[in-house]
Amino acid sequence: SEASPAPSPKKAGSVEFEQQRVEAEKRAKEEQEEAEAREAGSRLAVLFVITPEQHQKTPKLVETVRRWCDVSGAQGAVLPSPDVLVAALARFADEVVGRRVTDPAPESPACSPVSVRL
């Protein structure tokens, strides 16, 4: 059996250079995708309920949730009960709307029937 000829140093260098170029492009693309994901994640609010009982069973869960938020860039809060979650969401909605969202909606032209021309 014949041994295959050794590649010329010039050809071996160009193959190595091409592999390095491909790896560098792959790393650059991954870094860009990660930056885009963090930017998108920074617009997220994560509200996670971990009851005191759950915290006793899995004390590292809070740390894990906070780490997920840090990695993704999301704003996170750990709440002690579903009731606190509902109250927090209601308060946020009240602030956004400018009134209590549980009150009847005020009459407005936006609520009137829409006429459509055919």
Side-chain angles (χ1 to χ4, degrees):
S1 81
E2 283 184 32
S4 53
S8 69
K10 186 175 181 182
K11 192 171 191 175
S14 67
V15 169
E16 185 177 310
F17 176 76
E18 180 64 18
Q19 288 174 339
Q20 289 174 348
R21 185 188 66 75
V22 168
E23 283 297 316
E25 286 177 359
K26 183 179 175 184
R27 277 193 307 273
K29 183 179 180 186
E30 287 172 354
E31 288 172 6
Q32 179 182 356
E33 289 172 349
E34 185 176 318
E36 290 171 1
R38 285 188 63 71
E39 198 273 317
S42 70
R43 294 188 301 262
L44 293 177
V46 177
L47 303 174
F48 206 88
V49 174
I50 300 176
T51 63
E53 297 80 21
Q54 182 64 45
H55 182 64
Q56 284 182 340
K57 292 178 189 173
T58 53
K60 294 192 179 218
L61 184 57
V62 171
E63 183 181 316
T64 301
V65 169
R66 288 193 175 134
R67 194 169 43 247
W68 288 339
C69 291
D70 289 344
V71 167
S72 69
Q75 301 297 315
V78 176
L79 306 170
S81 73
D83 293 340
V84 173
L85 172 62
V86 171
L89 291 172
R91 182 173 179 187
F92 173 76
D94 292 347
E95 289 174 7
V96 169
V97 173
R99 63 178 179 77
R100 289 179 36 160
V101 295
T102 55
D103 291 344
E107 295 268 340
S108 72
C111 296
S112 64
V114 177
S115 63
V116 178
R117 292 186 196 186
L118 299 175

